[in-house]
Amino acid sequence: MPEESNIHIPGVPTSEPASLEEPTTPREPLPPKPDQRGPEAVSATGSPTGAPATARAQSGQYLTTAQGLRVRDTDHSLKAGSRGPILLQDHHLREKITHFDHERIPERVVHARGAGAHGVFRSYGTAANITRAGFLAKDVETPVFVRFSTVLGSRGSADTVRDTRGFSTKFYTDEGTYDLVGNNIPVFFVQDGIKFPDIVHAAKPHPDREIPQAQSAHDTFWDFVSLHTEAQAHTMWNMSDRGIPRSYRTMEGFGVHTFRFINAEGRTTLVKFHWKPKQGVHSLVWEEAQIINGMDPDFHRRDLADAIEAGAYPEWELGVQTFPDTEDQMFEGIDLLDPTKFVPEELAPVQPIGVMTLNANPTNYFAETEQVAFHPGHLVPGIDVTNDPLLQVRLFSYLDTQISRLGGPNFGQIPINRPHAPVNDMLRDGMHQQAVHGGAAPYHPNSLDGGCPFLAGQDLGAFIDVPEEVAASIKERRNPASFDDHYSQVGLFYRSLSPVEQDHVIQAYTFELGKCYEKSIRERQLAALANVDAGLCAAVAKGLGLPAPQATEQVAESDPSPALSQVGKTWPVAGRVVGILADGNSDLAAVNAARKALDAEGIVPLVIAPQGGFLGSENDGGVPVQRTYLTARSTEFDAVIVAASAAPAPDAEPGLDAKAGAPGSALDPRAVLLLTEAFRHAKAIGSLDASKGVLTAAGIPGDAPGIAAGENAEALVTELTGLLAAHRVWERFPVTSA
């Protein structure tokens, strides 16, 4: 909208327009917008105070602590040297993180919406030479509980929003609980945990209206990431198809940080964790995600639970990239302590060390999925942390958060959090204490309880901190120079994608920035994209109707990493869902044959008919109906088989269902919508010969890629299964970015 227009468009985020450059001249906080008003300023007992309503808002030109102490730097934690560990004396960090940890009651501040499952992890033993962790010895099986989640939305938000996903695993080992707390993206928005409250505050809904929910397509998010350019790496991954996974079952997981393995001889190796889904890494297309958010906001949690219930147990291989534990902790020019960087698999292959199978759903969502408490400091012998400044802050923050969320320090006694190893911690009392402790001497050393509990040595499985030299002698708030590169890996990721995936990135940036009210924020983010890739910047600028700026930094190009693309591979099809359109005119024997053939492949067949119940006789070869034209939508299915005339159902009336369209059509408009959406979203479509006319009538060319046809149901399923293995019929997408 031209700035000189007199037409008022609602949605302005603040009372003054944002500047293109980061403001540097001190000023008082902005006044409220004209449409805003706070509660009247009265005392706790209802007496008028005479103070303006804004008297309770923040005041002053400078950032301060909660006690009014002015702050010089809020971007860097206080470290023992730029590469050293973070110091406990950092009062500003602890105040900032502690307050952030307790912002929400009772749901999580981030990762509020989740889905969980039980399972088992079986170790291959291939990591036994680099870690003494007992659960990674050969053929050891360890119970696990996994929680998947979105980051930004509340518990009531939708599943298929564009967002980062949490991928956290609790291993109940016999040496204590080990938590691998990761995401589906290997890089993070910020390099230092002191900035975590800032990125979350920016990404959460605007505080005045509490909108938009569960999405980053708004001014405050893009204001922050365009000013704080270290966030560009994570943003690029989010704008790719990785931001809208097809399923938790087809989602990759990453430990994000670099950790340290210690073997039985005390030798150390740096590692990065990877979860590789056995079914491959697959995503939705944007229109699918939008439809699903309206049709079935529980899509991901339902998909996970249904797959487990159907016996199509999701599996992931756990792998590690390994690196020498050198003094500089660099690898091929990549700083391993920078959480905004990843190491391409072509430089450091992922070595499989075990497989995880999820085989049981929770009995009670609240008791298990909601109350499970993860913490990156839940370690076992053989695995230790590094001085990654984001990880260092998480070690404080996660533990502190549970005290607010779960009512006190005894959250480890909640059944889902209880270790499967003996606990004798000398911790006593506190809210929600469930243990009945004996003895008289919960301290060490003691003689009254016979000296119990005793300290253990390494030979008895004790955790031993790696003796790492802290060479720096200067306390400072500073990152090492290697953290200053904010663009090279962003460009590497984009250039590693196929042309189809690059188109989706362009669409995502254009959509998200198009939802921002402030022109200056759109321009500032385009300036960042110019440093990533000129073609990407030009395409997004065109969509926004803005000129494409020139790059302001010369960024070295790296070779693409083919492992980053989701296109061009084939995967197992077990657990996929195929819809079969059938009606009273269908060859029910062929429909049943197709159902059996799909089931034999581990694929879930769902019959879609004009109405519920059975097609044919329930007791004599009839076909049970799982979905109707009213309740089905293409987004539920990975492929569709047409075995019906698709004539209008009795309820094909616009007054009953807006999707039913105008009366008088030869085909039910809802069946046509399902087929045309599936075709547009590049899904495989099968047609029994008698149903060829349905595709033609729906405007779907029979010779298009990914259309299978035949009279034999088993042969048709075989052809369809081959198409499903690639997830989509990628050649059906037109490519514009090449």
Side-chain angles (χ1 to χ4, degrees), residues 91-124:
H91 56 92
H92 173 47
L93 162 68
R94 286 187 289 112
E95 178 188 73
K96 185 175 180 180
I97 289 293
T98 297
H99 193 282
F100 171 74
D101 291 342
H102 301 278
E103 281 182 3
R104 299 290 187 275
I105 299 173
E107 73 175 31
R108 291 165 169 87
V109 178
V110 288
H111 300 279
R113 181 170 181 83
H118 297 274
V120 63
F121 175 81
R122 180 175 59 82
S123 171
Y124 297 154

Side-chain angles (χ1 to χ4, degrees), residues 157 323 483 702:
S157 59
F323 317 98
F483 278 39

Side-chain angles (χ1 to χ4, degrees), residues 363-625:
T363 300
N364 182 278
Y365 180 90
F366 177 80
E368 298 164 83
T369 306
E370 184 62 19
Q371 289 197 119
V372 67
F374 297 96
H375 174 37
H378 289 163
L379 301 167
V380 291
I383 304 177
D384 202 356
V385 300
T386 59
N387 290 341
D388 175 334
L390 177 63
L391 175 58
Q392 291 271 311
V393 177
R394 291 178 73 197
L395 294 173
F396 171 81
S397 177
Y398 278 64
L399 190 63
D400 183 52
T401 296
Q402 314 306 344
I403 296 172
S404 178
R405 282 199 61 249
L406 299 175
N410 292 310
F411 62 87
Q413 297 181 16
I414 295 172
I416 192 64
N417 296 322
R418 290 176 181 173
H420 292 196
V423 175
N424 194 344
D425 54 19
M426 295 194 300
L427 305 177
R428 292 293 185 268
D429 306 337
M431 294 183 67
H432 308 301
Q433 176 62 253
Q434 299 172 53
V436 182
H437 292 105
Y443 50 83
H444 181 85
N446 75 75
S447 63
L448 294 178
D449 282 345
C452 185
F454 299 90
L455 299 178
Q458 180 175 326
D459 58 327
L460 295 174
F463 182 87
I464 306 296
D465 297 282
V466 173
E468 182 183 10
E469 182 179 353
V470 180
S473 59
I474 301 173
K475 295 184 299 185
E476 54 186 336
R477 295 186 185 273
R478 185 170 65 89
N479 281 337
S482 54
F483 278 39
D484 292 341
D485 174 14
H486 297 168
Y487 294 111
S488 63
Q489 283 206 334
V490 193
L492 183 157
F493 178 81
Y494 180 72
R495 291 188 297 274
S496 299
L497 302 180
S498 67
V500 167
E501 293 169 300
Q502 289 183 347
D503 276 353
H504 295 169
V505 170
I506 291 168
Q507 178 194 44
Y509 272 110
T510 307
F511 174 86
E512 296 254 331
L513 293 171
K515 299 286 279 187
C516 291
Y517 187 94
E518 295 286 359
K519 179 183 176 184
S520 59
I521 292 174
R522 300 194 294 269
E523 292 175 332
R524 194 190 308 135
Q525 179 58 33
L526 285 174
L529 292 182
N531 293 328
V532 173
D533 185 271
L536 168 63
C537 179
V540 175
K542 180 180 179 182
L544 296 174
L546 294 171
Q550 296 297 311
T552 57
E553 294 188 23
Q554 294 299 317
V555 179
E557 289 196 9
S558 304
D559 292 334
S561 171
L564 297 174
S565 174
Q566 299 181 36
V567 177
K569 309 176 185 73
T570 57
W571 304 96
V573 297
R576 293 304 184 112
V577 180
V578 172
I580 305 175
L581 278 172
D583 57 23
N585 298 315
S586 299
D587 180 346
L588 298 186
V591 172
N592 269 326
R595 292 173 63 229
K596 292 177 181 177
L598 289 167
D599 183 67
E601 296 289 341
I603 298 170
V604 178
L606 297 178
V607 174
I608 311 158
Q611 56 199 33
F614 266 77
L615 295 174
S617 171
E618 181 175 352
N619 300 315
D620 186 20
V623 176
V625 175

Side-chain angles (χ1 to χ4, degrees), residues 187-191 199 221-222 224-238 340 486 490 509 525:
V187 294
F188 202 69
F189 283 110
V190 294
Q191 295 167 326
I199 179 57
F221 174 82
W222 288 101
F224 177 83
V225 300
S226 61
L227 289 170
H228 209 67
T229 53
E230 68 192 53
Q232 293 294 317
H234 194 142
T235 301
M236 175 62 76
W237 281 76
N238 250 6
T340 67
H486 297 168
V490 193
Y509 272 110
Q525 179 58 33

Side-chain angles (χ1 to χ4, degrees), residues 326-347:
T326 57
E327 184 177 356
D328 64 0
Q329 296 175 320
M330 302 283 290
F331 181 79
E332 298 289 342
I334 300 169
D335 193 325
L336 297 175
L337 299 189
D338 183 350
T340 67
K341 303 293 193 300
F342 69 96
V343 179
E345 294 183 29
E346 291 75 15
L347 298 179

